[in-house]
Amino acid sequence: MKSTVTRENEANQSIQFKEEKKFQKTLARLNKHKMLYLISIPGILYFIIFKYAPFMGSIIAFKDYNIFAGIWDSPWVGLKHFEALFANPDSVRVLKNTLLLSFYDILVFPAPLILALLLNELRLVLYKRLIQTIVYMPHFLSWVIISGLFIGILSPTTGVVNHFIEWLGFESIYFMGSEDYIRPILVLTYLWQSVGWGTIIYLAALAGVNPELYEAAKVDGANRFHQVLHVTIPAILPTFSILFLLHIGNFLDFGFERVYVFLNPLNQVNGDILDTYIYSVGLQNAQYSFTTAIGLFKSVVGLILLVFANFISKRISGNSLY
């Protein structure tokens, strides 16, 4: 009968053997995919340097940052700037604008999917490519150019839209000088600029649908509409879910450049968002701690929404980011 010491030694040797075997497997896996790990190093370094390292600077959201004292020697004030964010009427107004515009963005988010479905049903290849080229082109224009185009189109004196309104017998409208029109303008210009480019991913996903599924649907008597409903849409839904989750993570990041170029003193009340507010208050008025608190708030809200939406998507459809 083996002694207790012998059994313990055998158990330790067995554990040591398993760990050595596991380590050898890990080394073999690393050696097998070493080129993949090697080419991933620049991307990892990029995120470490430009994404994770700047997190340390977020501490100034809890301090009264003084540019001469530095980050660590500035006095600690706790949640003072976060309280000011919800107490300041201008901050509340800007937050409301951002929430509304982000919500409108979500409403038009399916537009690239709808356009991709329509393009996918076109059978004339030349016409399909022409339409794709036309709807892709706005993506390559800067927001400065886009704003100039739409300001000209919506001009109360020389704009095409107002000429048409006057032709119908109504008075011209100063769209860019009205608080009531700035939000629709911001949403529709973004839709015009991005909808064509957004279809690329969906068309790529549709290209991977097995043609035999359509043949089987035809055999079962399905027409074109039923094929789209029961074959095309289910095949593209996982892609749509992932893109929607990524969009939710940037819920409050409406975009500085796409808004700032359209703003003026006449429409700023309803057009100002957190990003433009950060620019005017943080950079122009040097309130760095306050605007850092706003940025940190945006990030936390985006993270919470992403985790929640990912959980819901995983429970309902089985598609998730992680």
Side-chain angles (χ1 to χ4, degrees):
M1 197 169 197
K2 293 183 179 179
S3 65
T4 304
V5 176
T6 305
R7 287 198 297 270
E8 288 180 355
N9 289 335
E10 290 179 352
N12 290 333
Q13 290 176 357
S14 177
I15 293 172
Q16 185 178 1
F17 175 75
K18 289 179 180 179
E19 290 179 350
E20 289 178 355
K21 193 172 182 180
K22 186 177 180 180
F23 180 71
Q24 290 174 357
K25 286 183 178 180
T26 303
L27 286 179
R29 193 181 301 113
L30 289 172
N31 186 57
K32 181 179 179 181
H33 303 289
K34 59 183 178 181
M35 294 308 297
L36 291 176
Y37 292 118
L38 186 63
I39 63 177
S40 68
I41 290 176
I44 294 172
L45 290 176
Y46 166 79
F47 279 97
I48 291 175
I49 296 172
F50 296 104
K51 300 296 182 180
Y52 293 102
F55 280 167
M56 297 179 62
S58 298
I59 195 174
I60 69 173
F62 305 94
K63 294 188 170 190
D64 267 336
Y65 175 66
N66 187 304
I67 192 171
F68 300 105
I71 294 177
W72 306 113
D73 293 330
S74 297
W76 184 273
V77 294
L79 300 176
K80 170 187 172 183
H81 300 296
F82 293 93
E83 294 172 355
L85 170 61
F86 297 101
N88 189 330
D90 286 336
S91 301
V92 174
R93 172 183 58 82
V94 169
L95 180 59
K96 175 187 173 183
N97 291 341
T98 308
L99 290 172
L100 283 173
L101 289 169
S102 298
F103 177 72
Y104 296 153
D105 253 10
I106 289 179
L107 292 181
V108 301
F109 180 77
L113 172 61
I114 296 171
L115 180 59
L117 292 174
L118 294 174
L119 289 173
N120 189 62
E121 292 304 308
L122 293 177
R123 292 296 176 259
L124 190 58
V125 178
L126 181 62
Y127 182 66
K128 181 179 179 179
R129 290 178 177 174
L130 177 64
I131 296 298
Q132 285 179 317
T133 303
I134 292 173
V135 296
Y136 290 166
M137 286 177 63
H139 174 78
F140 301 98
L141 300 177
S142 70
W143 279 107
V144 175
I145 296 175
I146 293 174
S147 66
L149 286 173
F150 277 87
I151 289 172
I153 292 172
L154 299 175
S155 170
T157 55
T158 60
V160 176
V161 175
N162 273 304
H163 283 327
F164 179 71
I165 293 174
E166 290 175 349
W167 180 75
L168 292 175
F170 300 98
E171 293 184 2
S172 62
I173 302 171
Y174 187 13
F175 290 99
M176 299 307 301
S178 173
E179 298 175 1
D180 298 329
Y181 295 103
I182 185 61
R183 289 172 184 163
I185 289 172
L186 291 174
V187 174
L188 293 176
T189 51
Y190 175 72
L191 182 64
W192 177 77
Q193 188 261 359
S194 63
V195 66
W197 185 257
T199 60
I200 291 178
I201 298 176
Y202 294 117
L203 289 173
L206 289 173
V209 179
N210 191 344
E212 293 180 359
L213 295 175
Y214 293 103
E215 296 297 330
K218 288 180 182 178
V219 171
D220 290 339
N223 56 27
R224 292 283 292 274
F225 176 75
H226 290 113
Q227 290 175 37
V228 171
L229 191 62
H230 298 290
V231 178
T232 307
I233 292 180
I236 207 173
L237 272 181
T239 303
F240 177 81
S241 299
I242 297 300
L243 292 176
F244 182 72
L245 289 174
L246 293 173
H247 184 76
I248 284 291
N250 296 320
F251 182 71
L252 293 180
D253 287 327
F254 192 74
F256 170 80
E257 63 281 355
R258 61 180 279 199
V259 176
Y260 187 74
V261 290
F262 287 100
L263 290 184
N264 60 59
L266 298 176
N267 61 30
Q268 195 165 8
V269 173
N270 285 351
D272 218 1
I273 62 170
L274 287 175
D275 293 315
T276 56
Y277 187 66
I278 288 172
Y279 171 74
S280 60
V281 174
L283 295 181
Q284 295 181 340
N285 296 334
Q287 297 185 31
Y288 303 115
S289 293
F290 178 62
T291 49
T292 301
I294 297 176
L296 194 57
F297 169 75
K298 285 174 51 183
S299 300
V300 171
V301 170
L303 177 62
I304 293 173
L305 289 174
L306 177 60
V307 172
F308 178 73
N310 188 78
F311 173 77
I312 297 297
S313 177
K314 192 173 184 179
R315 292 292 298 271
I316 295 177
S317 64
N319 300 312
S320 61
L321 289 174
Y322 54 88

